[in-house]
Amino acid sequence: MDEVRILEIKQSVFASNDREADRLRNELKEKGVFLLNLMSSPGSGKTTTLRRTIEALKDEMKIGVMEADIDSDVDARSIAKTGVKAIQLHTGGMCHLDAGMTRQGLEGLGTDDVELTILENVGNLVCPAEFDTGAVKNAMILSVPEGDDKPLKYPLMFSICDVVLINKIDVMPYFDFDLEKCREYIRMRNPAAKVIPICARTGEGIGEWAEWLRSKVRAWRG
Amino acid sequence: MHELGIVFHIIRSVEEVGRENRIRRVLAVTLELGEVSGVVESYLQDCWQWAAARSEMLAGAALEVETIPARTLCEACGEVYPTVRYGRTCPACGSAQTHLLQGNETMIRDITVPEDGADASAAESAEAVCAGSGRHGTNAEL
């Protein structure tokens, strides 16, 4: 057998993505574009929440939306009806977006006239948490029917989120969902996370969420 | 399903290091994988076979996985225990104030490359390593 040599690398698999994400964040800072990465399970009400968010903020800032899915463009069509710029990203079977894919999406969307870009990540509580997209803030939605124990089952997701929206609080009486217990579980995994109960269908809590987002966008744009 | 994304990132990182070091062929990549990293090794190997074959530098390269056992420290009583068996609750004192010491790794440890000037025979040695590893029978046919 031929001679071989071994090169030590000692680098996390995620290190190259983390570097790319930092580069992207710096570029967004220079351009004054705020990128929000919105994550959740499928069916938690991401698109409905997004439409409510757009309604609350579109008169005061220019918004762009990137809808990431494995397939279909139903979400992008739904968002386009709100009047904001929206594009669909297909991940080609992958369960998450990484910083490189997010950059391509931003180029496709065009961010010259956008102040707030929202990335609706693939519906999944596992993989999107591992890959930094380059977003300024991470938000996730946990809906009541999913159960209050999700922070224990998907700790990484909850640990990387700046804000957790607890959606569908109107159906709480019909489920064994303990809001205080859920807050406690989230605190155990991430003491810094802000928790906002909302109901995207009725609009309850959207004001508080919009205010949180507004203050973060303003702080980022200086 | 995130294994495919992870494989793409391994390949990208190794190709970067390879270019910096003027390496044309890589024979093997060693990955340290924690027991609770959430990465399934058999899926990772399947994705690797598919994706590495499409890389000029990594075609036929073996992915060697070294498993790192998961160990958790109890902050209340100082016990260090195996995470997979007991989870987040300390088996000695029952406290939930625990944190993972190791076992979450997905680290590219090293790569094996032909010795300098061995490029001409790189294809042969790649085959030899793959056939010899016994885990990548199909790779030898590539």
Side-chain angles (χ1 to χ4, degrees):
Chain A
M1 200 166 118
D2 291 310
E3 293 288 309
V4 299
R5 69 192 159 107
I6 291 173
L7 252 76
E8 191 171 86
I9 296 190
K10 282 278 178 197
Q11 177 181 304
S12 162
V13 169
F14 302 107
S16 66
N17 185 62
D18 289 347
R19 281 196 299 272
E20 174 64 20
D22 285 338
R23 265 199 299 276
L24 184 57
R25 243 186 312 274
N26 288 337
E27 289 168 28
L28 291 171
K29 179 78 182 170
E30 269 171 34
K31 287 188 195 163
V33 177
F34 184 96
L35 176 63
L36 178 79
N37 177 24
L38 182 62
M39 296 170 285
S40 81
S41 311
S44 64
K46 269 202 305 295
T47 309
T48 310
T49 305
L50 203 47
R51 278 170 39 204
R52 285 282 184 187
T53 310
I54 292 164
E55 275 169 35
L57 294 172
K58 73 174 178 183
D59 291 338
E60 49 187 293
M61 58 182 81
K62 291 182 188 111
I63 303 174
V65 173
M66 299 190 287
E67 290 285 344
D69 267 310
I70 287 174
D71 205 347
S72 99
D73 61 355
V74 290
D75 286 346
R77 283 174 188 277
S78 163
I79 293 299
K81 283 185 192 152
T82 64
V84 302
K85 197 151 81 161
I87 61 163
Q88 184 79 48
L89 309 178
H90 283 162
T91 61
M94 296 247 273
C95 49
H96 61 271
L97 285 183
D98 60 19
M101 291 188 261
T102 305
R103 177 189 291 282
Q104 284 177 27
L106 288 165
E107 282 164 7
L109 182 72
T111 51
D112 288 348
D113 56 348
V114 171
E115 297 160 88
L116 165 63
T117 304
I118 302 174
L119 167 64
E120 189 181 323
N121 215 315
V122 181
N124 178 341
L125 291 184
V126 185
C127 323
E130 296 175 329
F131 291 91
D132 188 341
T133 56
V136 182
K137 295 287 175 191
N138 290 315
M140 74 159 292
I141 303 174
L142 170 67
S143 65
V144 164
E146 292 170 63
D148 53 28
D149 59 352
K150 287 295 168 292
L152 302 182
K153 291 188 170 180
Y154 302 95
L156 183 63
M157 174 58 76
F158 286 84
S159 71
I160 62 141
C161 278
D162 300 288
V163 61
V164 178
L165 304 176
I166 299 183
N167 192 22
K168 308 189 188 180
I169 52 169
D170 55 334
V171 298
M172 198 123 50
Y174 307 100
F175 289 87
D176 281 339
F177 190 98
D178 185 331
L179 186 58
E180 283 318 303
K181 207 183 261 178
C182 189
R183 282 181 189 274
E184 189 192 319
Y185 292 154
I186 294 169
R187 247 195 321 271
M188 278 165 69
R189 301 292 165 245
N190 182 357
K194 167 106 177 146
V195 178
I196 307 176
I198 64 164
C199 176
R201 196 176 62 83
T202 63
E204 193 181 346
I206 295 296
E208 189 187 350
W209 156 236
E211 181 49 40
W212 184 91
L213 190 52
R214 181 185 291 121
S215 69
K216 300 300 174 199
V217 174
R218 282 193 186 141
W220 180 252
R221 288 172 52 80
Chain B
M1 216 170 20
H2 62 169
E3 282 75 9
L4 184 59
I6 287 168
V7 159
F8 284 145
H9 282 281
I10 297 172
I11 290 176
R12 204 176 300 166
S13 299
V14 171
E15 283 178 342
E16 239 169 64
V17 172
R19 274 192 298 273
E20 284 164 14
N21 291 281
R22 298 170 166 273
I23 288 161
R24 284 160 56 190
R25 289 293 299 256
V26 172
L27 308 177
V29 176
T30 310
L31 192 69
E32 289 181 2
L33 201 58
E35 269 184 314
V36 295
S37 64
V39 179
V40 181
E41 190 191 334
S42 61
Y43 293 168
L44 197 69
Q45 291 289 4
D46 286 347
C47 293
W48 178 261
Q49 299 245 337
W50 182 84
R54 282 154 183 78
S55 155
E56 205 174 311
M57 196 186 290
L58 285 151
L63 181 66
E64 307 285 357
V65 174
E66 187 160 301
T67 305
I68 309 291
R71 306 193 68 75
T72 295
L73 168 73
C74 173
E75 286 160 15
C77 74
E79 177 85 359
V80 175
Y81 62 88
T83 313
V84 173
R85 180 151 176 213
Y86 298 106
R88 286 177 188 265
T89 307
C90 174
C93 76
S95 169
Q97 295 298 317
T98 58
H99 75 257
L100 191 68
L101 291 177
Q102 60 167 61
N104 197 28
E105 298 78 2
T106 38
M107 168 93 77
I108 306 166
R109 193 175 67 191
D110 55 46
I111 58 176
T112 307
V113 301
E115 193 51 88
D116 288 337
D119 270 342
S121 57
E124 285 165 40
S125 61
E127 250 182 32
V129 166
C130 290
S133 77
R135 282 154 64 180
H136 305 279
T138 53
N139 260 5
E141 295 162 20
L142 290 172

